[in-house]
Amino acid sequence: MYFFSVDGPLWRFFNLVYNLVLLHVLWVVYSIPLVTVGASTTALYYACMKMIRTKEGYVHRNFHRSFKQNFRQATVIWMVMAAVLFLFLVDFRYGGYLGGTAGKIMVAACSVFLVPTVFTCMYIFPVQAKFENRIWENFKIALLLPFRHFLCSLLLCFIMATFVLLTVAFVPFIMLLFCCGAGLYAYLTSNVFIFIFRKYLPDELEDDLERSGERFL
């Protein structure tokens, strides 16, 4: 029966689950030194987007290749983003400590700048995985794209918020996170990023349509 065949939906589902678990494990292992979180997150998105686009099953090979190629730039990006987020944390705590009008103004100012910073954090590693640019150019892209595609950015925020709420309110979801959390999150968000990036990579869109057997009208 087709349902149980190699090309059937059941086999494709289990193959997807296997790849998500594998990507999760690879991301966790490669992120253990902490300083490599940027490179491992970039590799996670590279492998996940390639898996979605081309239906390739060699996610481990794509992960290793991207980790090696993007290690230097992704590590610098990770260090910069970690420093900026730490600075925001210090400012918020100091603003709360000050209290009064000065403290409220400081917290409000930090909140305004926090929004584009969070958006940049969401976009920067997928951008690094997709575009071969200098670090500053990728930061610029990651800052502009969230506002140019604001509805997609809201969808990404919704996915992230859903993960956080389910983690807090639904205990079984924590077990799912332990098994494939990073892979599942990257898979869901990668579909959004692929939709965004296709607008700037027409050749990639044409290639994807050819792979799927579709034709331009």
Side-chain angles (χ1 to χ4, degrees):
M1 296 178 62
Y2 173 73
F3 184 80
F4 297 101
S5 67
V6 175
D7 296 325
L10 185 63
W11 174 263
R12 292 201 301 269
F13 171 76
F14 282 114
N15 187 57
L16 173 62
V17 172
Y18 169 78
N19 286 331
L20 295 185
V21 172
L22 178 58
L23 285 172
H24 172 75
V25 173
L26 288 171
W27 181 82
V28 171
V29 172
Y30 277 71
S31 297
I32 288 178
L34 294 184
V35 72
T36 59
V37 169
S40 61
T41 304
T42 300
L44 173 67
Y45 272 108
Y46 176 84
C48 203
M49 286 190 288
K50 196 170 185 63
M51 176 185 71
I52 295 171
R53 287 185 51 248
T54 66
K55 312 301 180 185
E56 285 186 6
Y58 305 106
V59 293
H60 59 288
R61 184 183 302 171
N62 292 326
F63 187 99
H64 296 319
R65 181 189 305 134
S66 177
F67 185 88
K68 182 178 180 180
Q69 291 177 346
N70 293 284
F71 180 81
R72 186 184 64 83
Q73 285 195 348
T75 301
V76 173
I77 291 172
W78 165 242
M79 293 291 100
V80 172
M81 297 308 301
V84 171
L85 293 176
F86 178 76
L87 182 61
F88 271 106
L89 177 62
V90 172
D91 288 343
F92 274 115
R93 291 181 63 88
Y94 186 66
Y97 173 78
L98 281 179
T101 303
K104 292 179 180 178
I105 293 175
M106 187 173 184
V107 171
C110 289
S111 299
V112 171
F113 288 104
L114 183 62
V115 174
T117 302
V118 171
F119 278 150
T120 302
C121 288
M122 294 170 58
Y123 275 76
I124 186 60
F125 295 114
V127 167
Q128 176 65 29
K130 177 59 64 174
F131 300 98
E132 296 182 3
N133 296 318
R134 296 179 179 178
I135 294 176
W136 168 246
E137 292 173 340
N138 279 343
F139 264 119
K140 183 179 179 180
I141 294 173
L143 178 62
L144 294 177
L145 284 184
F147 298 98
R148 184 171 295 179
H149 303 277
F150 192 67
L151 292 179
C152 291
S153 299
L154 291 180
L155 177 58
L156 292 170
C157 290
F158 174 78
I159 295 173
M160 181 170 60
T162 300
F163 268 67
V164 173
L165 291 176
L166 287 177
T167 302
V168 174
F170 190 54
V171 176
F173 187 73
I174 299 177
M175 299 303 299
L176 180 64
L177 292 182
F178 277 118
C179 295
C180 63
L184 178 61
Y185 180 81
Y187 177 79
L188 295 175
T189 54
S190 288
N191 283 278
V192 181
F193 287 120
I194 289 173
F195 174 78
I196 295 172
F197 295 155
R198 276 175 174 169
K199 298 180 182 300
Y200 306 95
L201 300 168
D203 292 339
E204 181 177 288
L205 174 58
E206 184 177 354
D207 182 60
D208 291 347
L209 291 175
E210 289 179 356
R211 289 176 184 273
S212 62
E214 298 178 14
R215 298 179 183 272
F216 286 112
L217 296 178

